[in-house]
Amino acid sequence: MCRLTRMGTWRHSRGDCSVDTSLASVGGVPGIYGSCGVSGGNPLEATAQALQHFAWHVRPPPTSMGPVRGGCVALGAPFPTARTVEVRGAIAWIHGELYGTSDVELVEAMFARDAGPRLARINGNYAIAAWHPERQLLRLATDRLGLRHLYWARSGRGVVWASEAKACALALPSVELRSEAPRELVEVGHLRGLGTWFVGVELMPPATLLELELSTERVSSERYWAWPASPPSLPDAEVSRITRRLAERWQEIHEMYTQLPGRSMLTLSGGLDSRAILAAFRAARGEPGLVTFGRPACLDVTIARETAAAAGLPHVWCELSGENWLDDREEATWITDGEFDLRHMHVVRCLPRCREVGDVALNGFLGDALIGGGYLSPRWTTEERYRERGRRFISGGTRLGESYLLHRLPFCDNEMVELSLALPEQLRRGAAYYRRFLVTQYPGLFARIGHTPHGARLSANVVTRTVSAASHWLRDRYDYHAYARWVTEPSVAARLEPHLDPSRARFVDVVDEQVWAGPVRRWRARRGRRSLGARDCDLVLRFVGIDIWLQHVARRMGARATQRDAA
């Protein structure tokens, strides 16, 4: 059995398994890549290069076994989250972390008769591609929530895969842009469903096992886990059992994190999720590094400083300003495959400092959505909201951050998800239970400190919260950014101009003129004078993001990328 030691090395006691330690030792993210049954022996060099974003990323030589070839690119951190494993003659490329399960058990589950139920029991965030030479069978799988993105495409009689869409597209004989992508980005700020910018390249669904039977060239898929529905009501005794176990599990997760390799850090905001992580980690005697980004004296920065002081920990502030907010977002657009709205890449400003403070980020992804009830809606199920907003939009910041350091997501622990969804909707709605839980379990960080978006304490009534929010808004301290004002400032406008000039910009070829003409005209009229309207600001930055992405595609993917059915 293989297990991960505190130093990030691998040990095994079974004679029928081995781990390629030369690959395992490089560790870290960003991901895996490979091909199976692709004619011409695709060397995958361009695919591997597309995953290697920074000088500190490590790219070992790929590994081959018959018709399969694959590899990984990693951060070079002290723990192997992108690795190659061989188990009983099979080979697998794994991206992510497993908790309570070894790589060997994961690979064995991939080819077991009861593969689906066994995968459903595995806790962690991972993507895996595994090849069984005797059965001539390739299988790809994602964790329950699809936290590690894995993209795939058919290529001839075979399949290619990669952790990023552009890397997957570069493994194909030709690259064609999907005409629906820019329309989706303009309308909602992210791509919908499983689509990407590239024809034929799709994001693997969550909780899915995909299979290529090479002898028949047949591709099939199986969904191995489904979201449980929240009950409308439960007996008091059952509610007490769930809430008691939820509190226990929350603390257990952070006890476990303190035992795992890596220096932990936390991007601390003024909200509840990051502070909930800090409280539990401190209760487990952990001391994470704390970093906050935002404008001077904004609510997030003010509350984060107060929280850090109450926790007795140093705090690093990264200023977000009209002069620096646009820095690094062009490269971030490439890293995130053109799928993430330029306006919401706030975290990129502080990622270099985060990497100085730690090499593992504790991330509050999905906290307010699940236990806080933020995804409860009369129109959508929680799963539908997650698949669109959570996985295709909110996770963009996490994916961007993982090019710098590993992320651990405590709210996405298997049991935490099940317990959160087992709570009756009336307890989750409006974060009713979540608020009580935090004040009861961690009064030192929640009873007397306010939180965003209003700055009032958790116990405050509606009137107090409204007055507090209005006070901060009137003093221009409400939000951690001021994009609507910043986009019209002369220095920023000069940087945006090449991306919004119809005679030079590429986005005008894929976005209808009736959509872009008005917002761009109003942006020009207000340059150097006054703020842009919120909706126009969103649209202008989406146009800029699309233009930056298309420039990246033209420069880095060259003649291989073609455009179809431009708007």
Side-chain angles (χ1 to χ4, degrees):
M1 179 176 180
C2 296
R3 66 184 180 89
L4 181 61
T5 70
R6 284 185 61 83
M7 295 306 294
T9 58
W10 288 85
R11 297 177 180 172
H12 59 87
S13 56
R14 293 182 50 166
D16 55 4
C17 77
S18 66
V19 177
D20 184 340
T21 55
S22 65
L23 297 186
S25 61
V26 300
V29 281
I32 57 175
Y33 63 92
S35 66
C36 176
V38 176
S39 60
N42 187 342
L44 299 175
E45 178 65 21
T47 294
Q49 287 180 354
L51 288 171
Q52 188 174 14
H53 300 300
F54 300 111
W56 64 81
H57 286 178
V58 179
R59 180 161 58 96
T63 306
S64 298
M65 182 181 284
V68 177
R69 185 175 178 84
C72 63
V73 178
L75 290 176
F79 27 79
T81 56
R83 56 211 181 264
T84 301
V85 181
E86 292 188 30
V87 179
R88 304 180 67 173
I91 189 169
W93 295 270
I94 302 173
H95 181 213
E97 276 199 319
L98 307 175
Y99 308 115
T101 300
S102 70
D103 283 3
V104 173
E105 291 167 323
L106 174 58
V107 176
E108 288 178 339
M110 290 288 287
F111 296 110
R113 290 185 178 180
D114 59 342
R118 289 179 64 171
L119 289 173
R121 293 193 293 269
I122 292 176
N123 192 18
N125 51 84
Y126 67 88
I128 179 173
W131 167 250
H132 198 294
E134 290 183 9
R135 295 161 62 181
Q136 292 287 286
L137 203 62
L138 174 76
R139 283 183 169 173
L140 311 179
T142 52
D143 61 68
R144 282 183 175 192
L145 300 180
L147 298 168
R148 297 283 179 179
H149 283 198
L150 186 63
Y151 298 86
W152 75 286
R154 289 301 304 258
S155 181
R157 59 187 292 266
V159 163
V160 297
W161 70 87
S163 296
E164 295 178 6
K166 60 184 167 293
C168 188
L170 284 166
L172 298 172
S174 61
V175 179
E176 193 172 1
L177 298 183
R178 189 173 67 94
S179 60
E180 298 86 357
R183 182 168 62 250
E184 293 168 1
L185 277 166
V186 169
E187 289 176 353
V188 296
H190 61 82
L191 298 186
R192 290 192 168 111
L194 303 174
T196 70
W197 268 93
F198 306 103
V199 173
V201 177
E202 284 195 351
L203 175 64
M204 281 269 296
T208 296
L209 178 65
L210 185 144
E211 175 181 290
L212 167 66
E213 189 175 7
L214 195 56
S215 60
T216 63
E217 303 177 20
R218 183 178 67 91
V219 172
S220 60
S221 65
E222 168 193 352
R223 184 181 181 187
Y224 65 77
W225 179 79
W227 286 56
S230 292
S233 63
L234 285 173
D236 290 345
E238 180 62 8
V239 171
S240 296
R241 184 196 68 80
I242 293 171
T243 55
R244 184 170 59 252
R245 178 55 192 153
L246 194 150
E248 292 171 350
R249 182 56 187 163
W250 180 246
Q251 195 57 48
E252 288 171 2
I253 293 167
H254 293 84
E255 296 279 355
M256 174 184 67
Y257 284 172
T258 63
Q259 301 302 311
L260 293 175
R263 298 173 302 131
S264 295
M265 63 78 52
L266 177 66
T267 306
L268 184 64
S269 71
L272 300 182
D273 298 339
S274 60
R275 201 188 317 174
I277 294 172
L278 173 60
F281 205 70
R282 288 295 281 146
R285 295 183 174 84
E287 296 187 356
L290 302 178
V291 178
T292 301
F293 59 83
R295 296 190 298 152
C298 72
L299 262 177
D300 275 280
V301 172
T302 301
I303 293 173
R305 282 176 174 156
E306 187 177 354
T307 302
L313 293 174
H315 178 252
V316 175
W317 167 52
C318 295
E319 183 176 3
L320 194 64
S321 69
E323 289 72 37
N324 67 25
W325 70 271
L326 195 54
D327 297 346
D328 302 319
R329 297 197 189 201
E330 289 196 18
E331 187 61 24
T333 300
W334 172 252
I335 292 172
T336 53
D337 293 322
E339 297 178 0
F340 191 33
D341 190 341
L342 188 78
R343 180 186 181 277
H344 292 92
M345 295 179 179
H346 330 286
V347 73
V348 73
R349 173 65 189 147
C350 70
L351 286 175
R353 292 303 304 274
C354 291
R355 194 165 181 266
E356 294 173 5
V357 171
D359 41 41
V360 176
L362 305 175
N363 188 290
F365 180 60
L366 287 191
D368 59 344
L370 296 181
I371 190 173
Y375 281 1
L376 292 175
S377 166
R379 295 182 55 198
W380 310 96
T381 66
T382 297
E383 179 183 5
E384 289 169 339
R385 290 272 286 171
Y386 166 69
R387 284 177 176 250
E388 288 297 318
R389 180 169 176 79
R391 195 170 185 234
R392 298 312 314 260
F393 174 55
I394 302 298
S395 71
T398 304
R399 292 179 60 211
L400 177 58
E402 287 205 314
S403 287
Y404 286 77
L405 64 173
L406 170 69
H407 282 50
R408 291 182 177 138
L409 315 174
F411 288 102
C412 299
D413 170 81
N414 281 5
E415 190 177 358
M416 276 297 297
V417 171
E418 292 167 358
L419 290 167
S420 298
L421 295 178
L423 287 170
E425 288 191 1
Q426 69 264 27
L427 287 183
R428 293 171 56 216
R429 195 175 306 279
Y433 164 73
Y434 191 23
R435 293 165 182 262
R436 290 201 302 270
F437 162 73
L438 294 174
V439 172
T440 302
Q441 294 294 122
Y442 312 108
L445 293 185
F446 286 96
R448 297 179 179 85
I449 301 175
H451 69 98
T452 56
H454 43 70
R457 297 176 182 178
L458 284 173
S459 58
N461 58 32
V462 173
V463 174
T464 301
R465 293 199 297 266
T466 303
V467 171
S468 177
S471 171
H472 288 291
W473 184 82
L474 289 171
R475 288 181 291 165
D476 195 25
R477 295 176 52 187
Y478 185 75
D479 226 332
Y480 55 86
H481 63 78
Y483 293 128
R485 184 170 74 239
W486 292 343
V487 295
T488 61
E489 291 180 356
S491 60
V492 175
R495 295 174 65 181
L496 299 182
E497 176 61 36
H499 301 292
L500 294 171
D501 181 354
S503 67
R504 293 183 283 173
R506 295 175 181 267
F507 84 89
V508 298
D509 297 326
V510 297
V511 178
D512 195 298
E513 184 174 359
Q514 292 181 340
V515 174
W516 63 257
V520 172
R521 183 179 65 253
R522 289 188 287 274
W523 169 77
R524 275 208 173 76
R526 299 187 181 194
R527 284 180 57 171
R529 299 180 183 178
R530 51 184 174 147
S531 298
L532 197 59
R535 178 58 177 168
D536 280 347
C537 177
D538 284 349
L539 289 174
V540 162
L541 288 179
R542 288 172 189 174
F543 303 151
V544 172
I546 292 171
D547 194 68
I548 290 171
W549 168 247
L550 293 176
Q551 288 188 10
H552 280 306
V553 169
R555 185 172 69 254
R556 298 184 175 193
M557 303 179 81
R560 300 184 61 196
T562 60
Q563 209 167 279
R564 184 173 69 176
D565 298 329

